[in-house]
Amino acid sequence: MSFASLGLNGPILQAVEECGYTQPTPIQAQAIPAVLSGGDLLAGAQTGTGKTAGFTLPMLQILTDRPVKGLANGRHPIRALVLVPTRELAAQVEDSVRTYGKHLKLTSMTMFGGVGINPQISQLKQRVDILVATPGRLLDHAQQRTVDLSHVEILVLDEADRMLDMGFIRDVKRIIALLPKSVNNLRRQNLLFSATFSDEIKALADGLLDKPKMIEVARRNTTAESVDQKVVLSEKVHKRALLAHLIKTNRWEQVLVFTRTKHGANRLAEQLGKDGITALAIHGNKSQSARTRALSEFKGGTLQVLVATDIAARGLDIVELPHVVNYELPNVPEDYVHRIGRTGRAGASGEAISLVASDERPYLADIERLIKRQIPRVQVPGFVFDARAVTIDEQRPPMPPRRTCARCSKTAIRGCKASPPNRCPGSAPTRARPA
């Protein structure tokens, strides 16, 4: 199957060809015709499978084919809105819009926080056909009445599951309330794309989409077969030395490393620098200019290691990124899928190594339950971890000892739950159950 067989027009096909793409991915092959048909869409696919082009290409064609009139105030209307959870993803999506639409007369812009709002206000006064925005900054503009969303023909929610995880659901619903239900007697088209296809996503879709076509090209929460996954058991005190050893011994030139906290990312980047490894950290507390510079250097090959929190687990599209390291496992197992999805993208091969300490065994067990496979354990010479093998059947640490109410003998972790404050009326303080 070729892109031409999907019904795309000449200028778009030319741009796709210039990017070096010849055949659509499975999600693109199904999503592009569905979007071109004009109906709503609920689509899920593994991260790194080309979801962005799956909605960008048909969106560009629809907007090109439909006539548009200027507003009464002389301005050009915003015709498509793409909502994304992070600044990095906003920049990536808008870059795709410009790349695939470079032979068209459509314009686009990004809108996110962490930068001054005034340049964005100035840009909104110019022609903007496609707006790619994060929810918070878009609501800032809406409250200041510097953006007009009353003519949006197409709404795209990209990485919708991440927006739910980050608590944006209320903001998303407020934005949807600002949009028209129809424009020029055509009902607004709603597209929901997600890396995972959870029950919560389906519930969101029920309230937004009208008889949508559903596409799921892979089973839920799977990892790409092109990613070689490994686990190296290591205590916390040895992790930094182990990571430096892996980078130097294997001569890794481009490594994306994930930590659980912002402070941990900063500290690890500094420690790697002392080991002679060029590294920078990227997380929510960094300024937008610092994040942009770090990403630019990393993509350009002048930065060897990029240390990131889960803010970078979505939206980073780095061509042929060879290595991802989980310096610390995420406490949400779905985040593991998105982290390692930064490598092995678009059919390329990649390697994902997780450094697992003793107290991270429950997280590893949760991850393996989610992806329904056991990740191979490997040993690194000189860093042998003397402990029993971690298996998928391991359980979390035991619950706190149960306590017994002194009056009614009911048991619970915090005593009797007969009435607030979790004690029988008039009962004595709870006591530990006799051994």
Side-chain angles (χ1 to χ4, degrees):
M1 179 182 291
S2 65
F3 281 100
S5 66
L6 300 179
L8 297 172
N9 63 30
I12 295 177
L13 290 174
Q14 181 182 350
V16 171
E17 184 179 353
E18 290 172 356
C19 291
Y21 302 128
T22 56
Q23 293 183 331
T25 64
I27 186 67
Q28 293 166 1
Q30 296 184 55
I32 291 174
V35 177
L36 289 176
S37 70
D40 288 356
L41 179 65
L42 174 59
Q46 295 174 351
T47 184
T49 55
K51 290 187 280 75
T52 301
F55 66 79
T56 300
L57 296 176
M59 177 177 66
L60 288 168
Q61 176 145 324
I62 290 172
L63 297 180
T64 301
D65 292 344
R66 288 180 185 172
V68 60
K69 297 180 180 180
L71 302 179
N73 58 10
R75 293 187 181 180
H76 194 85
I78 295 173
R79 304 176 61 197
L81 172 64
V82 183
L83 287 179
V84 297
T86 66
R87 308 173 197 174
E88 284 72 27
L89 184 55
Q92 176 195 317
V93 170
E94 200 266 339
D95 182 66
S96 294
V97 171
R98 285 188 285 106
T99 299
Y100 297 133
K102 60 183 177 181
H103 301 303
L104 305 173
K105 295 182 180 181
L106 299 173
T107 60
S108 61
M109 74 167 282
T110 54
M111 179 186 290
F112 47 72
V115 296
I117 197 171
N118 289 331
Q120 295 174 354
I121 293 175
S122 298
Q123 191 172 357
L124 285 168
K125 294 178 181 179
Q126 309 300 317
R127 173 172 176 169
V128 177
D129 294 287
I130 302 169
L131 177 61
V132 184
T134 55
R137 177 51 64 92
L138 180 57
L139 283 176
D140 290 341
H141 280 279
Q143 290 168 357
Q144 296 185 34
R145 298 185 178 181
T146 53
V147 64
D148 181 4
L149 302 176
S150 63
H151 291 78
V152 171
E153 304 170 35
I154 302 174
L155 169 66
V156 181
L157 298 185
D158 191 21
E159 300 284 9
D161 50 350
R162 185 60 172 168
M163 281 195 273
L164 291 180
D165 294 341
M166 296 175 68
F168 287 148
I169 183 62
R170 219 175 257 183
D171 289 348
V172 169
K173 289 181 177 179
R174 289 174 60 191
I175 291 169
I176 293 173
L178 299 174
L179 305 180
K181 292 185 178 181
S182 62
V183 178
N184 297 327
N185 297 320
L186 290 175
R187 190 184 60 82
R188 188 187 74 235
Q189 188 174 14
N190 303 300
L191 314 175
L192 193 154
F193 281 73
S194 177
T196 55
F197 221 24
S198 66
D199 295 334
E200 291 80 6
I201 292 299
K202 291 181 179 179
L204 173 63
D206 288 341
L208 173 65
L209 308 179
D210 180 30
K211 299 177 182 178
K213 181 171 183 180
M214 298 182 64
I215 298 173
E216 189 172 13
V217 298
R219 69 177 177 85
R220 191 180 307 178
N221 295 322
T222 54
T223 54
E225 293 297 328
S226 58
V227 179
D228 182 19
Q229 303 175 59
K230 300 174 184 176
V231 164
V232 179
L233 304 177
S234 172
E235 289 300 349
K236 285 185 177 180
V237 293
H238 300 141
K239 278 191 177 184
R240 196 268 305 161
L242 173 58
L243 176 60
H245 173 79
L246 289 171
I247 293 172
K248 291 181 177 180
T249 303
N250 297 306
R251 297 182 179 180
W252 291 346
E253 296 298 329
Q254 194 178 40
V255 192
L256 179 59
V257 180
F258 284 103
T259 63
R260 200 177 299 132
T261 66
K262 302 169 186 175
H263 174 69
N266 288 336
R267 184 173 55 187
L268 179 59
E270 182 179 348
Q271 291 171 337
L272 289 174
K274 293 179 180 179
D275 290 333
I277 300 170
T278 58
L280 288 175
I282 178 174
H283 52 69
N285 282 357
K286 293 285 187 179
S287 67
Q288 185 57 39
S289 60
R291 289 161 65 166
T292 301
R293 178 174 65 87
L295 278 175
S296 177
E297 292 182 9
F298 187 63
K299 289 182 177 182
T302 58
L303 181 66
Q304 192 172 1
V305 178
L306 184 65
V307 185
T309 57
D310 283 306
I311 189 173
R314 304 285 187 100
L316 283 186
D317 190 7
I318 301 164
V319 178
E320 296 183 352
L321 174 67
H323 308 287
V324 168
V325 174
N326 287 303
Y327 187 79
E328 296 167 324
L329 287 181
N331 52 11
V332 178
E334 288 82 1
D335 285 343
Y336 173 84
V337 177
H338 302 304
R339 284 183 178 188
I340 71 169
R342 297 310 99 201
T343 185
R345 298 172 71 85
S349 61
E351 182 180 38
I353 296 178
S354 299
L355 311 184
V356 180
S358 298
D359 61 350
E360 294 176 296
R361 293 176 184 176
Y363 298 146
L364 179 59
D366 288 344
I367 289 168
E368 292 181 324
R369 288 190 189 95
L370 179 76
I371 65 176
K372 294 180 173 60
R373 61 174 290 189
Q374 184 173 5
I375 305 171
R377 276 60 166 169
V378 297
Q379 291 185 343
V380 177
F383 293 88
V384 177
F385 180 65
D386 186 15
R388 64 188 180 90
V390 184
T391 69
I392 194 171
D393 296 321
E394 287 188 329
Q395 303 296 320
R396 289 191 176 278
M399 297 290 287
R402 299 175 71 84
R403 303 177 71 85
T404 303
C405 177
R407 185 175 180 85
C408 72
S409 297
K410 290 185 178 180
T411 60
I413 292 176
R414 296 183 179 177
C416 175
K417 296 183 179 180
S419 65
N422 294 338
R423 297 175 185 167
C424 283
S427 68
T430 57
R431 58 182 171 80
R433 176 189 287 179

